[in-house]
Amino acid sequence: MPKTSKTYDLLAIGAGPAGAAAAYWAAKRGADVVAVEKQTFPREKTCGDGLTPRAIKELTDMGLADSLSQCHRHVGLRSERTTKSWNCLGRLILSIRILAMW
């Protein structure tokens, strides 16, 4: 099989929330982007169930407000991991990755 090469404007190492968002915004502005991730999604991550107000705004700005509205919202700092919240955040990360490919 012959080797092929392609040049990208941006290589996002890590396709979690930050890498996927960076890839999304760069692609939205016309950059040719590829994001690579060694893990499979959804993945267990201790801090993965928490979204700060800035993260909520960023996801809303990315057009994911409808998906975000389906997630459970905690008020305050006390929280416990639930299947619903994990699946919801996993879907959001996958949504960001899909948007980044457009």
Side-chain angles (χ1 to χ4, degrees), residues 33-101:
V33 176
V34 65
V36 295
E37 173 61 51
K38 68 180 178 179
Q39 301 292 324
T40 57
F41 288 98
R43 66 178 185 226
E44 263 315 298
K45 190 169 182 191
T46 304
C47 62
D49 289 339
L51 295 173
T52 65
R54 286 183 183 175
I56 299 292
K57 181 185 180 319
E58 193 71 23
L59 291 168
T60 300
D61 291 348
M62 294 170 77
L64 295 168
D66 288 341
S67 295
L68 192 58
S69 69
Q70 298 171 22
C71 295
H72 181 75
R73 182 174 179 185
H74 293 282
V75 179
L77 297 176
R78 176 178 273 168
S79 177
E80 66 180 70
R81 182 177 298 264
T82 65
T83 302
K84 181 180 177 184
S85 66
W86 178 249
N87 289 337
C88 188
L89 288 173
R91 284 193 309 273
L92 282 171
I93 291 170
L94 290 175
S95 297
I96 293 169
R97 292 175 69 196
I98 290 167
L99 285 172
M101 293 187 297

